[in-house]
Amino acid sequence: GAGVSQSPSNKVTEKGKDVELRCDPISGHTALYWYRQSLGQGLEFLIYFQGNSAPDKSGLPSDRFSAERTGGSVSTLTIQRTQQEDSAVYLCASSLVGTGFKETQYFGPGTRLLVL
Amino acid sequence: AQTVTQSQPEMSVQEAETVTLSCTYDTSENNYYLFWYKQPPSRQMILVIRQEAYKQQNATENRFSVNFQKAAKSFSLKISDSQLGDTAMYFCASLLSGAGSYQLTFGKGTKLSVIP
């Protein structure tokens, strides 16, 4: 596709429910990133994929968070047993590879998650 | 670890005037990259301009230019001939250049309002 796409655009859920957020990177981009943007914390890195592998999961806030990527393309971020503090905008980005200047990260429009 | 500081939470500028957004960063590395991203109300993070730390020449993109002062670890963004469409949050970000470096570190952002 022309850009990074994310779905859903907005998600409202009840505390304790599981949610899945989807990211479709730019075609051909091998690296994919998830960030979280919240009012109090700014933009924080969550996880990075190179192909289908996630070399670094240290940014995930808790074991309720998990992510996977299949076919070197689409990625899903899953939050189990959601809590109110999970409310935020979840941004996905992709780049050609994972390092270097040429591999600028291009962002999707984000998913706004509200946990009631 | 890297840190990025944007000391101006909010700024405003008259249409057609020039405005400068400040950014300072802290890193012990010699090679890195710096970025300015724009986030309008649509939430889409849009790359505005980027700079390689080893290049002394300041980057420019049409009405956008940077003043990169490596010794002072300063990376300010100048917007000339401000337009209403420039109203957005602006984020300064850094990225190390080494292998395995993939995580953008963002500042807290500056909310820019262009006044007609």
Side-chain angles (χ1 to χ4, degrees):
Chain A
V4 179
S5 61
Q6 292 185 246
S7 61
S9 180
N10 296 280
K11 177 71 176 179
V12 181
T13 191
E14 294 179 348
K15 178 182 174 181
K17 300 282 189 182
D18 297 352
V19 295
E20 284 190 353
L21 312 179
R22 176 188 168 103
C23 172
D24 277 281
I26 292 172
S27 179
H29 279 193
T30 58
L32 185 146
Y33 316 78
W34 284 98
Y35 293 85
R36 181 169 70 175
Q37 184 176 24
S38 53
L39 282 176
Q41 300 299 321
L43 275 148
E44 55 179 328
F45 167 81
L46 297 179
I47 192 169
Y48 152 68
F49 286 92
Q50 181 61 266
N52 292 333
S53 300
D56 183 2
K57 300 181 180 179
S58 62
L60 294 175
S62 75
D63 58 8
R64 296 185 295 104
F65 287 72
S66 63
E68 66 174 13
R69 189 179 185 195
T70 56
S73 181
V74 172
S75 176
T76 303
L77 177 68
T78 301
I79 309 173
Q80 296 178 309
R81 304 182 303 282
T82 51
Q83 303 294 312
Q84 289 181 332
E85 61 263 28
D86 300 334
S87 296
V89 174
Y90 290 82
L91 292 166
C92 177
S94 71
S95 68
L96 280 173
V97 293
T99 62
F101 176 65
K102 298 176 189 175
E103 290 70 42
T104 295
Q105 297 178 26
Y106 296 92
F107 284 81
T111 293
R112 183 181 298 277
L113 175 66
L114 178 61
V115 182
L116 300 176
Chain B
Q2 299 180 88
T3 59
V4 177
T5 303
Q6 293 179 251
S7 59
Q8 305 150 315
E10 292 191 40
M11 292 191 72
S12 61
V13 62
Q14 290 290 136
E15 193 175 5
E17 296 295 310
T18 296
V19 64
T20 299
L21 308 183
S22 301
C23 172
T24 58
Y25 58 92
D26 190 17
T27 179
S28 57
E29 301 294 324
N30 193 46
N31 293 322
Y32 50 89
Y33 311 109
L34 298 166
F35 305 84
W36 278 98
Y37 282 92
K38 166 186 176 181
Q39 187 179 41
S42 66
R43 292 202 309 254
Q44 182 91 44
M45 292 279 276
I46 301 164
L47 177 68
V48 174
I49 199 165
R50 56 192 181 187
Q51 174 84 39
E52 296 163 281
Y54 66 86
K55 286 188 176 178
Q56 293 185 341
Q57 185 174 4
N58 289 324
T60 62
E61 287 288 344
N62 301 314
R63 297 183 296 107
F64 299 88
S65 62
V66 298
N67 182 5
F68 174 48
Q69 302 289 329
K70 190 172 184 179
K73 295 182 179 176
S74 171
F75 183 61
S76 61
L77 175 69
K78 185 172 81 170
I79 305 173
S80 304
D81 185 26
S82 297
Q83 301 176 1
L84 296 178
D86 296 334
T87 293
M89 284 290 292
Y90 286 81
F91 292 94
C92 180
S94 66
L95 175 68
L96 295 179
S97 66
S101 173
Y102 43 80
Q103 176 182 347
L104 281 169
T105 300
F106 286 90
K108 296 290 188 185
T110 297
K111 183 178 181 180
L112 177 67
S113 298
V114 179
I115 303 166

